[in-house]
Amino acid sequence: MRVAVVGGGIGGLSAALQLLKAGLDAHVYEQAPRITEIGAGIQISPNASRLLHRLGLGPAMDAVGVRPLAVHQRRWDNGRTLQRAPVGREVEAIFGAPYYHFHRADLATLLADALPPERLHLGHKLLDLARKGERVTACFENGATAEADLLVGADGIHSRVRHLLFGPEKPRFTGCVAWRGLVPAERIKHLGIEVASHNWMGPDGHVVHYWVAGGRMMNVVCVVEHGDWTKESWTDRGEVADVLARYEGWHPTVRALIGAFPETFVWALHDRAELPRWSDRRVTLLGDACHPMLPMMAQGAAQSIEDGAALASLLKAMPGDIPSALARYEAVRKPRATKLQQASAANRKRFHLPDGPEQQKRDEAMAASGDRSIANIGWLYAHDAAVV
């Protein structure tokens, strides 16, 4: 079975590796001239890292990733701990796989390096699809075509494959604006920041930061409500002074991190209406192309990796019936992805509560049981997407 994967991001590359392991003839078609990832930090929890380890990528992941000790959620002004949940050795022992922080480009590069070179086709921007009988033909801007038994759209939040299948869609601006910065370790050495995922929660905003690139850099993301920036692009430069102004009065550590930004990029957070279906005959979608989610559960990339594992397992088990395999793929993946989309949207509200009774109830609940405790997060981390 020949499978064409459109999109050479983390979801597309990991899907191709899992399809190859399942014995399928998988090829990746990426529009960029080289493999790269826009953005900076990415979190890969055990539900996804176990799938990558099965591909033999553990040593490469350990070489460039960071294994955090905990998730530390704190109050915006005085730094009081609201919740500190382990994600280090204890999580690995219970769930059988580690938790990682990566620079996105590092993870994309190690996935691309694991793919046989002849199966990665760069400079292939999808224009159109032609379907005839049991074959799908992808037509690219460079004049090339690729014929396959199945085409997988792993081409992200602005998916061309989704557009061709289901028509144009209109993103919905959430009202949130985010800035990101990547800070060299030497600039903030004096702050003594723990190797953990830190989340500072305050009125109308939060800040997340964690070490990436083997501990050489700190990834920082600042999200606020009621922003006036509406462009959904990760490459628009912002002003560090604007970020500092929005976080006036926040804890000195937060302000020191922002002040250490060499540069910052700004983008507006959008969401999309839930798709009624992901597949049409012998074409299907994966990752952000079919279930984009806000970043407040740190599960966007992890869920795309899960998608690839489930799809590969089903195609291996049902090689003669692609439409049925795709129906099953959607049936097993859509409820979980939807649950995480909803959890991410709920966290946006919880993270940004103004000081008052509702915020106090949130803080008490976090102290009592903690949404990131082993007991409460097990449904997420223990899941094995390859078992379908």
Side-chain angles (χ1 to χ4, degrees), residues 175-331:
C176 286
V177 171
W179 291 272
R180 60 180 169 89
L182 203 58
V183 184
E186 58 270 18
R187 289 195 178 197
I188 51 173
K189 185 178 180 180
H190 63 286
L191 297 177
I193 297 174
E194 180 190 20
V195 181
S197 175
H198 302 265
N199 181 1
W200 306 74
M201 291 185 261
D204 287 338
H206 76 288
V207 175
V208 172
H209 59 92
Y210 49 86
W211 295 103
V212 296
R216 298 187 305 276
M217 298 180 181
M218 178 72 75
N219 176 65
V220 186
V221 179
C222 308
V223 182
V224 298
E225 297 279 346
H226 316 303
D228 54 8
W229 186 272
T230 58
K231 290 182 64 178
E232 192 183 29
S233 168
W234 278 29
T235 58
D236 289 321
R237 291 183 183 273
E239 296 294 333
V240 175
D242 292 340
V243 194
L244 281 170
R246 289 302 297 262
Y247 287 89
E248 181 70 36
W250 283 56
H251 193 274
T253 296
V254 172
R255 292 186 56 79
L257 283 170
I258 296 170
F261 283 3
E263 60 184 353
T264 188
F265 296 86
V266 59
W267 76 100
L269 297 184
H270 290 70
D271 66 6
R272 277 132 175 99
E274 182 181 346
L275 286 176
R277 56 195 174 100
W278 294 357
S279 307
D280 185 74
R281 289 180 282 173
R282 289 172 175 260
V283 182
T284 194
L285 301 172
L286 175 154
D288 282 352
C290 53
H291 54 69
M293 56 189 70
L294 296 175
M296 285 73 166
M297 281 292 291
Q299 280 293 308
Q303 291 308 299
S304 71
I305 294 168
E306 284 192 13
D307 288 346
L311 185 60
S313 292
L314 286 163
L315 292 171
K316 182 179 180 179
M318 308 168 71
D321 192 353
I322 290 176
S324 293
L326 295 185
R328 181 65 182 155
Y329 161 68
E330 186 172 321

Side-chain angles (χ1 to χ4, degrees), residues 37-380:
E37 271 285 348
I38 299 171
I42 191 169
Q43 302 189 45
I44 299 296
S45 46
N47 48 302
S49 68
R50 72 165 50 88
L51 302 172
L52 300 182
H53 274 221
R54 285 181 193 156
L55 297 171
L57 299 175
M61 294 167 72
D62 288 337
V64 297
V66 173
R67 294 193 182 196
L69 301 175
V71 173
H72 193 182
Q73 296 177 309
R74 306 173 71 177
R75 187 168 160 77
W76 67 283
D77 52 358
N78 59 19
R80 177 170 58 85
T81 294
L82 305 178
Q83 174 181 209
R84 189 181 184 280
V87 292
R89 291 180 179 177
E90 185 176 353
V91 159
E92 184 174 2
I94 294 171
F95 299 109
Y99 199 113
Y100 287 101
H101 293 157
F102 291 101
H103 191 294
R104 283 177 173 269
D106 290 341
L107 182 56
T109 298
L110 75 85
L111 292 171
D113 288 346
L115 197 66
E118 69 276 9
R119 295 185 176 276
L120 179 57
H121 309 274
L122 301 174
H124 282 63
K125 182 178 181 180
L126 182 70
L127 286 183
D128 205 355
L129 298 175
R131 289 177 281 181
K132 186 175 181 181
E134 297 185 348
R135 305 292 280 178
V136 182
T137 301
C139 306
F140 300 100
E141 191 177 64
N142 62 6
T145 60
E147 192 175 77
D149 301 290
L150 169 66
L151 186 138
V152 180
D155 48 346
I157 200 164
H158 300 292
S159 173
R160 175 66 177 168
V161 178
R162 182 185 63 221
H163 176 91
L164 293 171
L165 286 186
F166 304 122
E169 47 81 49
K170 188 176 182 180
R172 301 176 298 199
F173 178 43
T174 63
C176 286
V177 171
W179 291 272
R180 60 180 169 89
L182 203 58
V183 184
E186 58 270 18
R187 289 195 178 197
I188 51 173
K189 185 178 180 180
H190 63 286
L191 297 177
I193 297 174
E194 180 190 20
V195 181
S197 175
H198 302 265
N199 181 1
W200 306 74
M201 291 185 261
D204 287 338
H206 76 288
V207 175
V208 172
H209 59 92
Y210 49 86
W211 295 103
V212 296
R216 298 187 305 276
M217 298 180 181
M218 178 72 75
N219 176 65
V220 186
V221 179
C222 308
V223 182
V224 298
E225 297 279 346
H226 316 303
D228 54 8
W229 186 272
T230 58
K231 290 182 64 178
E232 192 183 29
S233 168
W234 278 29
T235 58
D236 289 321
R237 291 183 183 273
E239 296 294 333
V240 175
D242 292 340
V243 194
L244 281 170
R246 289 302 297 262
Y247 287 89
E248 181 70 36
W250 283 56
H251 193 274
T253 296
V254 172
R255 292 186 56 79
L257 283 170
I258 296 170
F261 283 3
E263 60 184 353
T264 188
F265 296 86
V266 59
W267 76 100
L269 297 184
H270 290 70
D271 66 6
R272 277 132 175 99
E274 182 181 346
L275 286 176
R277 56 195 174 100
W278 294 357
S279 307
D280 185 74
R281 289 180 282 173
R282 289 172 175 260
V283 182
T284 194
L285 301 172
L286 175 154
D288 282 352
C290 53
H291 54 69
M293 56 189 70
L294 296 175
M296 285 73 166
M297 281 292 291
Q299 280 293 308
Q303 291 308 299
S304 71
I305 294 168
E306 284 192 13
D307 288 346
L311 185 60
S313 292
L314 286 163
L315 292 171
K316 182 179 180 179
M318 308 168 71
D321 192 353
I322 290 176
S324 293
L326 295 185
R328 181 65 182 155
Y329 161 68
E330 186 172 321
V332 299
R333 290 299 305 155
K334 200 168 187 286
R336 181 167 166 87
T338 300
K339 182 177 181 178
L340 282 159
Q341 286 175 306
Q342 293 168 348
S344 298
N347 272 350
R348 172 230 174 147
K349 180 180 178 182
R350 290 196 323 130
F351 291 175
H352 299 172
L353 289 174
D355 286 349
E358 196 172 356
Q359 161 262 321
Q360 292 166 9
K361 289 180 181 179
R362 176 202 67 191
D363 295 355
E364 290 168 3
M366 283 187 168
S369 59
D371 59 320
R372 296 297 294 268
S373 67
I374 298 292
N376 288 332
I377 206 68
W379 69 272
L380 178 57

Side-chain angles (χ1 to χ4, degrees), residues 6-29:
V6 175
I10 289 166
L13 292 168
S14 61
L17 290 169
Q18 293 175 105
L19 291 165
L20 286 171
K21 186 181 179 182
L24 305 179
D25 181 15
H27 290 257
V28 175
Y29 299 89

